[in-house]
Amino acid sequence: MKTKKPLPLLTVLVYLFVIAGTLVIAFPLYITFVTAFKTLDESARSFFSLPSGLYLGNFAAVVSDEYFRNYIANSIGVTAGAVGIIAVFIPMVSYAISRNMQRSRYYRFLYIYFILGVFVPFQVFMVPLTQMMTKFGLLSQVGLVLCYVAFGLCEGVFLYVGYLKSIPLEIEEAATIDGCNTVQTFFKIVYPISKPMTATVIILDTLWVWNDFLLPVLMLNRSPKNWTLPLYQYNFKSAHMFRYNLAFAAFLFSIVPMILLYAFLQRYIIEGLTAGAVKT
């Protein structure tokens, strides 16, 4: 009878690390969910226990805020505007770079320039950016969308260029022979083939823009009417106390759509990130 060999120490440590990481992620989600469905008295008695029932008064109080629908509309508008432009503009830029960087120093420099932007912390240019946008009168949702598009270029170009290099050039040559110009070749041939990467960029940037706090607090904090949901949650305070139950209910309105989006579309992220890993 064969005896089972004990797991190697490294394997045990890896499992412990994974379990610890899961708990670190799951515990704040647990607190958010249970607190959102508790009354104030229940939270005062035990902050970590399960609620006695599904109390929906916190959600009703959040929805009754006269500006709440405006906050949701602001978040949807900024996210849809930024991601929509990113989904079209960045593939076009990446296509031009990927097809010309081998024979043009300009495009190689442009690619390296975008890649270097990934390594520059936002805090380095936070103050100059705010001053510039103030001077141009763009401390608004329009200016915020432009900033998201500019910042999305760095990571987006890095992902797209690697993916586009895996697309055989023979497909584009065949389109050229059939009479397609460069624009037609891109939108009729290359862009549809790039669907996995496009879906990946859309999902990643949607999660980023929807949940971002730092840029909105710099550009939209002048008037509550311009707030997005993260700003609304940050400023969700009364004059004398922090209303945890209402705050966590507001958090759920923000995180649940993104959790569902990621749960249903995460396969596109894996497919898009691995599709250009090997050139065929």
Side-chain angles (χ1 to χ4, degrees), residues 235-243:
N235 291 284
F236 199 92
K237 297 178 181 179
S238 64
H240 303 288
M241 63 178 293
F242 186 68
R243 298 176 290 180

Side-chain angles (χ1 to χ4, degrees), residues 109-180:
F109 168 78
L110 199 60
Y111 178 68
I112 295 173
Y113 178 77
F114 285 134
I115 298 305
L116 290 177
V118 177
F119 303 100
V120 179
F122 177 75
Q123 290 78 6
V124 172
F125 51 83
M126 180 173 64
V127 175
L129 174 68
T130 306
Q131 293 175 341
M132 182 182 70
M133 300 305 281
T134 302
K135 185 177 181 180
F136 291 157
L138 287 174
L139 290 181
S140 62
Q141 294 176 15
V142 174
L144 184 60
V145 169
L146 293 177
C147 287
Y148 282 132
V149 173
F151 297 146
L153 269 171
C154 300
E155 183 180 5
V157 167
F158 173 72
L159 294 174
Y160 260 105
V161 169
Y163 181 85
L164 291 173
K165 285 182 178 179
S166 68
I167 299 177
L169 294 177
E170 289 78 7
I171 298 177
E172 299 174 43
E173 293 171 356
T176 303
I177 294 174
D178 290 338
C180 292

Side-chain angles (χ1 to χ4, degrees), residues 186-256:
F186 174 76
F187 283 106
K188 292 183 178 181
I189 306 297
V190 177
Y191 195 59
I193 294 176
S194 305
K195 181 181 177 181
M197 181 54 65
T198 302
T200 300
V201 171
I202 288 175
I203 295 167
L204 293 177
D205 286 338
T206 299
L207 293 171
W208 164 47
V209 176
W210 180 269
N211 294 310
D212 186 44
F213 169 75
L214 194 53
L215 265 176
V217 80
L218 292 174
M219 303 186 65
L220 301 180
N221 212 21
R222 289 186 171 185
S223 172
K225 293 182 179 180
N226 295 326
W227 288 350
T228 55
L229 281 176
L231 274 183
Y232 165 67
Q233 294 160 4
Y234 174 73
N235 291 284
F236 199 92
K237 297 178 181 179
S238 64
H240 303 288
M241 63 178 293
F242 186 68
R243 298 176 290 180
Y244 287 102
N245 300 71
L246 301 186
F248 282 114
F251 295 161
L252 279 186
F253 277 113
S254 178
I255 66 176
V256 167

Side-chain angles (χ1 to χ4, degrees), residues 45-66:
R45 287 196 300 269
S46 177
F47 189 70
F48 301 103
S49 64
L50 291 170
S52 58
L54 296 180
Y55 175 69
L56 301 178
N58 298 322
F59 298 95
V62 171
V63 174
S64 65
D65 190 311
E66 59 178 330

Side-chain angles (χ1 to χ4, degrees), residues 27-88:
F27 184 70
L29 290 176
Y30 166 78
I31 294 297
T32 301
F33 275 89
V34 300
T35 306
F37 291 100
K38 286 182 180 180
T39 64
L40 189 60
D41 292 337
E42 285 181 314
S43 294
R45 287 196 300 269
S46 177
F47 189 70
F48 301 103
S49 64
L50 291 170
S52 58
L54 296 180
Y55 175 69
L56 301 178
N58 298 322
F59 298 95
V62 171
V63 174
S64 65
D65 190 311
E66 59 178 330
Y67 292 123
F68 183 71
R69 293 182 182 178
N70 190 44
Y71 303 144
I72 293 180
N74 290 342
S75 286
I76 293 175
V78 169
T79 303
V83 175
I85 296 174
I86 286 172
V88 177

